[in-house]
Every structure is written in structure tokens, then in C-alpha cells.
């Protein structure tokens, strides 16, 4: 009798130990991992990101002119302050070159110029900004769009010292279409008038020309790129 009772108790203990073994834990772990993977990116977040991508406005060569034409209609501001790693200066934009003015203010508001550089400096000629050697700048260009601006050279503006103007695109470009993401400032005294008719002056430096001159005097290497990067830390519409 005692033997039978002992056998029964042993059987119950063995059953209990097997039931508490590793197999159920393994199954439970798999369930938890699956739940974490599913919940780590909720469906609502995915839907919002897809909606955001679908609604993102991208400029291109078909819609840019109409966009800047309408953007310029209600544009009251005409000054932009550029704070660089060597100091700050302010430019005033001309009202009668509306596409270029609207483009510069739009890019400023989009934060495009922030952390770009003065990447080309030609002593006693120009400083050129709006490009960079980091990965963020081309990413920002892709997000804003790929487009060019038509030249607007017959509005009576010349390339005097302190003039801000827009370079032509480096793409095949017989019509001198402007690269919207870059700009140059003339430092030549009294000016660089051989540029008139080929590039579009769209504003002038009204404060901080001494900072522009200081930038124009930094040492440069091959391709007129400064040995020490000169950053545009912040561009802001005034």
C-alpha cells in the first residue's frame, strides 16, 4: 500500500516538473518577441508617415515658376541676415526680381542655408555660398526639389561691390538658368561689371560688408575651397 502511494506521489511530481520545464518558456518568449516587433512601429505611425510622404510638396522645373510667382505676391519681407562662423551680415533683396527674391526667402525659411558653407572664395572677386561637403545638404536639396530659375538680367541692377547674385547651373545650360541653391557676393572694388547680362543680381549687402571682406581673405586650396570651412550657421528672414 505504501509502495503504491509512493509511486503515485512520484508520478505527480514528475508530471509537475515536466509541466514547468523549458518548453513553455520558449513558447512564451516567442510570443513576447513577436509582440515587441509588431508594437515597435504602430500601424498608426506607418500610416502617418506614408500620408506625410504623399503630401510632401516637391519643387520641379514644371511647377517652380508658378509656385514662386504666387509666393512673391504676398511677400512683404526683403531682408535676410546670414550669421556665419566669422560674423554676420545682412542683405536686402530687390523687389523687381521676384522669382529670385522669393526663392532666396523660401530657402531661408526652409532652413536650407543653415550649416552650409562658403565653398568657393576668389580673392578680390567673389565669395560663393550655399553648398557643403556634408551629406545633409544634398538631402535637403532632394527634399525641396530639383529646379532652375530663369535669368532676370534686365532690371537695371549691376554687379557692384556688395551685390548678391545667383550663379548659373553647372548642367548643360545655354540659357544661363540659375542654380537656386547657391549665391555669390561681389567683393571687387568698385564691382565686377563683366558679369552683367550673364547673371542675375537680386540684392545687396546693407550691413556687415567687413565680414564679407574677411571671408574673402581666408586661405584657399584647390578649386578655391577654403582650407578652413566657413559656415553659414543661420540664415533668417528679417
Amino acid at each position: 500500500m505504501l509502495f503504491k502511494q509512493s509511486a503515485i506521489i512520484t508520478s505527480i511530481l514528475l508530471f509537475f516538473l515536466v509541466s514547468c520545464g523549458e518548453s513553455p518558456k520558449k513558447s512564451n518568449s516567442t510570443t513576447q518577441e513577436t509582440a515587441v516587433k509588431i508594437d515597435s512601429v504602430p500601424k498608426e505611425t506607418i500610416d502617418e508617415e506614408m500620408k506625410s510622404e504623399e503630401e510632401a510638396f516637391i519643387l520641379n522645373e514644371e511647377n517652380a515658376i508658378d509656385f514662386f510667382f504666387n509666393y512673391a505676391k504676398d511677400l512683404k519681407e526683403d531682408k535676410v541676415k546670414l550669421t556665419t562662423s566669422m560674423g554676420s551680415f545682412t542683405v536686402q533683396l530687390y523687389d523687381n526680381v521676384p522669382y529670385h527674391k522669393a526663392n532666396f526667402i523660401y530657402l531661408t525659411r526652409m532652413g536650407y542655408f543653415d550649416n552650409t558653407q562658403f565653398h568657393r572664395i576668389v580673392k578680390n572677386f567673389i565669395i560663393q555660398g550655399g553648398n557643403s561637403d556634408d551629406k545633409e545638404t544634398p538631402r535637403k536639396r532632394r527634399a525641396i526639389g530639383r529646379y532652375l530659375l530663369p535669368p532676370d538680367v534686365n532690371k537695371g541692377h549691376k554687379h557692384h561691390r556688395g551685390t548678391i547674385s545667383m550663379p548659373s547651373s553647372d548642367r548643360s545650360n545655354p540659357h544661363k538658368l540659375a542654380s537656386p541653391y547657391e549665391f555669390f557676393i561681389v567683393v571687387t572694388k568698385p564691382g565686377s561689371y563683366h558679369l552683367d547680362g550673364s547673371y542675375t543680381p537680386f540684392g545687396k549687402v546693407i550691413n556687415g560688408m567687413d565680414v564679407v571682406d574677411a571671408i574673402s581673405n581666408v586661405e584657399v586650396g584647390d578649386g578655391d575651397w577654403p582650407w578652413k570651412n566657413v559656415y553659414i550657421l543661420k540664415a533668417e528672414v528679417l
Side-chain angles (χ1 to χ4, degrees):
M1 185 68 176
L2 290 172
F3 176 78
K4 288 182 177 180
Q5 289 179 342
S6 178
I8 291 170
I9 291 171
T10 301
S11 298
I12 292 172
L13 288 171
L14 286 171
F15 178 79
F16 181 78
L17 288 171
V18 170
S19 298
C20 296
E22 292 299 320
S23 294
K25 287 186 178 179
K26 185 175 181 181
S27 175
N28 186 47
S29 175
T30 302
T31 303
Q32 289 178 347
E33 285 181 9
T34 302
V36 168
K37 288 178 182 176
I38 291 172
D39 294 341
S40 61
V41 184
K43 183 178 184 299
E44 292 80 3
T45 303
I46 295 172
D47 291 343
E48 288 175 5
E49 289 176 353
M50 291 176 65
K51 184 178 180 182
S52 177
E53 289 178 2
E54 290 173 357
E55 293 178 349
F57 174 71
I58 304 294
L59 284 164
N60 56 50
E61 292 184 10
E62 282 70 43
N63 65 22
I65 297 302
D66 286 340
F67 173 78
F68 287 120
F69 176 79
N70 291 311
Y71 191 83
K73 284 181 179 179
D74 300 318
L75 200 57
K76 301 288 191 289
E77 298 83 357
D78 66 352
K79 297 180 183 66
V80 173
K81 180 181 179 181
L82 296 165
T83 300
T84 81
S85 53
M86 295 183 66
S88 63
F89 61 90
T90 301
V91 297
Q92 183 171 31
L93 308 178
Y94 301 139
D95 290 327
N96 65 347
V97 281
Y99 297 121
H100 293 70
K101 174 186 175 182
N103 172 77
F104 198 73
I105 289 180
Y106 178 72
L107 293 182
T108 298
R109 287 176 170 165
M110 292 292 287
Y112 169 74
F113 294 114
D114 298 352
N115 299 313
T116 57
Q117 301 168 19
F118 282 98
H119 59 281
R120 181 171 179 251
I121 295 173
V122 184
K123 198 176 295 293
N124 298 319
F125 181 37
I126 64 167
I127 64 172
Q128 186 167 332
N131 206 336
S132 176
D133 55 0
D134 63 20
K135 295 180 180 179
E136 181 65 12
T137 298
R139 187 201 66 77
K140 287 193 286 187
R141 290 190 182 196
R142 286 193 300 271
I144 294 170
R146 181 179 175 87
Y147 62 101
L148 298 173
L149 292 177
D152 199 357
V153 299
N154 298 315
K155 297 298 177 66
H157 303 299
K158 296 184 177 297
H159 285 84
H160 301 299
R161 170 175 159 80
T163 294
I164 181 170
S165 187
M166 201 169 285
S168 297
S169 169
D170 58 2
R171 289 148 58 182
S172 178
N173 190 9
H175 300 295
K176 294 285 187 180
L177 298 179
S179 173
Y181 292 108
E182 298 183 17
F183 62 90
F184 65 86
I185 298 174
V186 176
V187 298
T188 319
K189 297 178 181 180
S192 291
Y193 303 116
H194 64 286
L195 302 176
D196 296 346
S198 296
Y199 305 94
T200 302
F202 62 95
K204 61 182 178 180
V205 176
I206 59 171
N207 185 38
M209 193 63 195
D210 57 323
V211 174
V212 175
D213 286 333
I215 294 172
S216 74
N217 285 315
V218 302
E219 295 297 322
V220 299
D222 294 339
D224 300 318
W225 196 291
W227 284 112
K228 182 179 180 180
N229 288 335
V230 180
Y231 286 97
I232 300 172
L233 303 175
K234 181 73 175 176
E236 52 192 321
V237 179
L238 301 181

